[in-house]
Amino acid sequence: ANAVDIDGYTTVDFSASAKLGPGRIGFAVDNLLDEDYVSVYAQQAGGIYGSFTRISAFGRRVGITYQVTY
């Protein structure tokens, strides 16, 4: 197998939760700074299978949850 040079990257994630009524509300942001990067897996696949597999990872994603335990 051929060696593949891997480009490093750093992402910042944020998550918080708080009690709200009978449950908890949660909020999360993945890739807070909207870094444009290619995951390690995609970089390795690109070296093996060609550039069509070397696609960017997700940009910023936001999620909200509400959980009630009973």
Side-chain angles (χ1 to χ4, degrees):
N2 295 336
V4 177
D5 288 331
I6 302 297
D7 296 326
Y9 56 87
T10 301
T11 61
V12 177
D13 299 333
F14 170 82
S15 65
S17 67
K19 185 165 177 44
L20 179 66
R24 289 190 79 75
I25 189 164
F27 177 75
V29 181
D30 296 330
N31 196 1
L32 183 67
L33 304 176
D34 201 22
E35 179 72 21
D36 183 16
Y37 69 99
V38 178
S39 72
V40 170
Y41 176 81
Q43 289 181 56
Q44 290 174 329
I48 297 168
Y49 301 111
S51 62
F52 70 93
T53 62
R54 189 180 161 94
I55 57 174
S56 292
F58 284 108
R60 183 181 302 123
R61 294 190 295 178
V62 177
I64 189 166
T65 60
Y66 186 74
Q67 178 181 359
V68 177
T69 302
Y70 54 95

